[in-house]
Amino acid sequence: MMGFLRMVTPPASPPAKRSRRQRRVRANGDGFPVFLPKEVKDIKDPFARALAQRIVRIPVPLQMGNFKGCVMSSCIKPIVQQHDKSPVVLLHCFDSSCLEWRRTYPLLEQASLETWAIDVLGWGFSDLGTSTLWKTYIKRPMILVGPSLGATVAVDFTATYPEAVDKLVLINANAYSEGTGALKDLPKSIAYAGVKLLKSFPLRLLANVLAFSSPLSENIDWTNIGRLHCQMPWWEDAMVDFMISGGYNVASHIKHINQKTLVVCSENDQIVSNQLSVKLLCELQNAVFREVPDSGHLPHVENPKQFVKLISDFASGKIN
C-alpha cells in the first residue's frame, strides 16, 4: 500500500491561499459538491444521491519529496464524533468510491456508530491514502472495514499501523491475490489503453451483473454510480500507477494480524470463492466467521440491514 501511495504525486507546489469565502464547501444547484463530476446529476438511486451530497474534501497535511503542504482528501464525515467508542472506518473495493456505502452508511448512523467512509488509493474523489487522514482527523483506534480488495488494503494497513486498528472486518476478502502479475510489465501506452477499456460502460455493466443479482435497470444505474469516479482527472494516471506498482501481496501479513477480526462472506458471491474466506479464518490469530444470506460480492449494497447488524454486534462485543 505505502509504495503505491508514494506514486500518487501531489501538485508541484502548494496551492495558493484562498479567501474565507473560497474555502467554504460549495454545492451546485442540485446540492452536489462542485468537485464531483457533472454526471452525478444523472444518478437515480436516492441513497447514492443523498450520500453524494454529503461528500466533503478536507485538507490533510502531506510531506512527500520536495512537496510540503496540504492536499484535499474526500470522505463522508460523521455528524457527531463519539470519543468514548472506536469509530467505524469504511474502505471501498478495487477502483470504487465511498458511494459504495450508500445503503449501509445511513443505517450505521441510525445504529449510533460514528462512521467515516473514505476514498483511498487515488480512486474515489481524492488522491490521498488512509494513514494520513487517520493521523490528522480520527486519531483513535478504529474498526476498519474492507470489502474485496479493500480487505487487502485493510490487512496491509493493519500490519503497518497496528496501533491504529482496534478491530478488523474483512468482507469477501481478496487477500491472497499476488498483485497485478504481468500487468506491471506492460508498456505505459498499452497500460493506458487497458485503463480506457476498464472505464467503458459495457465492461462495468458486466462486472455489475456478476456482482449483483439485480434487475437490469437497477444494474445500469449502479454501473453509473460505480464509474462516476472514473471521470476525475487523475483517475487514469492512478490506475496505471497501481498496475505498474505490482499491486498488493499481503498473504504473508495475515498470520501476524492479532486484532479481533470479523470475516464476512456472501452466500452467492460469484467473484471471490468462499473457500478463501475459510482459509483466512484459519490463518488469522483471532477471528470469527459470518455469512450474509441473499447477497453477492457486495453484501453492504444488497443486504445492508443484515450487514449493519453484524457490524453493530461486532462493535458492541456481541460477536466475539
Side-chain angles (χ1 to χ4, degrees):
M1 174 178 174
M2 298 311 297
F4 174 63
L5 290 180
R6 283 194 293 267
M7 300 179 71
V8 180
T9 307
S13 59
K17 291 184 178 180
R18 299 176 179 179
S19 69
R20 183 179 299 175
R21 181 178 180 182
Q22 287 174 313
R23 286 197 296 264
R24 291 175 185 168
V25 176
R26 294 188 240 169
N28 58 35
D30 293 309
F32 298 113
V34 293
F35 58 80
L36 292 183
K38 65 182 185 302
E39 290 83 359
V40 69
K41 298 178 183 179
D42 300 327
I43 290 174
K44 297 179 176 59
D45 186 313
F47 299 100
R49 292 179 66 88
L51 203 59
Q53 291 174 358
R54 289 186 57 182
I55 297 176
V56 297
R57 276 181 168 173
I58 53 179
V60 178
L62 181 67
Q63 184 169 359
M64 185 183 297
N66 295 325
F67 174 83
K68 184 177 181 181
C70 284
V71 294
M72 302 304 289
S73 179
S74 60
C75 67
I76 299 163
K77 296 171 57 178
I79 297 174
V80 178
Q81 291 186 253
Q82 304 170 13
H83 296 285
D84 58 333
K85 298 179 182 178
S86 296
V88 175
V89 177
L90 307 172
L91 306 180
H92 54 67
C93 290
F94 169 77
D95 191 21
S96 184
S97 78
C98 57
L99 291 180
E100 185 179 302
W101 296 99
R102 56 194 177 271
R103 299 197 167 195
T104 297
Y105 194 96
L107 298 178
L108 289 169
E109 286 192 320
Q110 290 176 21
S112 300
L113 292 170
E114 177 189 333
T115 307
W116 298 70
I118 63 176
D119 287 329
V120 294
L121 299 175
W123 296 323
F125 308 102
S126 71
D127 61 357
L128 190 66
T130 312
S131 60
T132 315
L133 188 145
W134 176 80
K135 291 176 182 177
T136 306
Y137 289 96
I138 301 175
K139 301 178 183 179
R140 290 166 287 145
M142 57 187 168
I143 300 173
L144 187 58
V145 183
S148 194
L149 187 69
T152 306
V153 178
V155 169
D156 187 63
F157 183 91
T158 303
T160 307
Y161 304 99
E163 73 282 1
V165 180
D166 177 26
K167 294 181 178 180
L168 199 55
V169 181
L170 306 177
I171 310 159
N172 294 320
N174 190 17
Y176 294 98
S177 61
E178 297 181 356
T180 56
L183 294 177
K184 70 179 185 296
D185 299 320
L186 287 176
K188 274 202 169 183
S189 59
I190 297 178
Y192 273 100
V195 164
K196 287 183 183 296
L197 178 63
L198 180 62
K199 183 180 180 179
S200 69
F201 184 87
L203 191 61
R204 294 271 174 167
L205 179 60
L206 176 60
N208 263 33
V209 170
L210 289 174
F212 304 116
S213 54
S214 305
L216 181 61
S217 60
E218 192 169 63
N219 261 325
I220 289 174
D221 192 45
W222 287 5
T223 299
N224 288 328
I225 296 169
R227 67 192 292 269
L228 181 65
H229 67 284
C230 300
Q231 313 301 328
M232 301 303 287
W234 56 74
W235 177 80
E236 290 187 9
D237 292 334
M239 283 299 302
V240 170
D241 283 347
F242 177 73
M243 290 167 61
I244 65 178
S245 74
Y248 289 90
N249 192 337
V250 302
S252 61
H253 294 329
I254 293 171
K255 62 183 178 182
H256 300 296
I257 301 295
N258 57 25
Q259 281 84 351
K260 185 70 175 180
T261 304
L262 174 62
V263 177
V264 179
C265 78
S266 297
E267 182 181 20
N268 302 314
D269 190 354
Q270 302 298 311
I271 296 177
V272 175
S273 170
N274 289 359
Q275 293 180 358
L276 293 179
S277 295
V278 175
K279 181 179 180 181
L280 191 61
L281 174 70
C282 294
E283 292 192 7
L284 287 164
Q285 294 185 30
N286 187 12
V288 292
F289 180 88
R290 294 293 187 274
E291 183 179 78
V292 180
D294 303 320
S295 62
H297 189 55
L298 302 180
H300 46 293
V301 177
E302 288 196 286
N303 197 341
K305 289 183 179 180
Q306 178 71 25
F307 179 79
V308 168
K309 187 177 187 309
L310 287 178
I311 296 295
S312 181
D313 288 349
F314 186 58
S316 66
K318 293 181 180 178
I319 296 177
N320 51 44

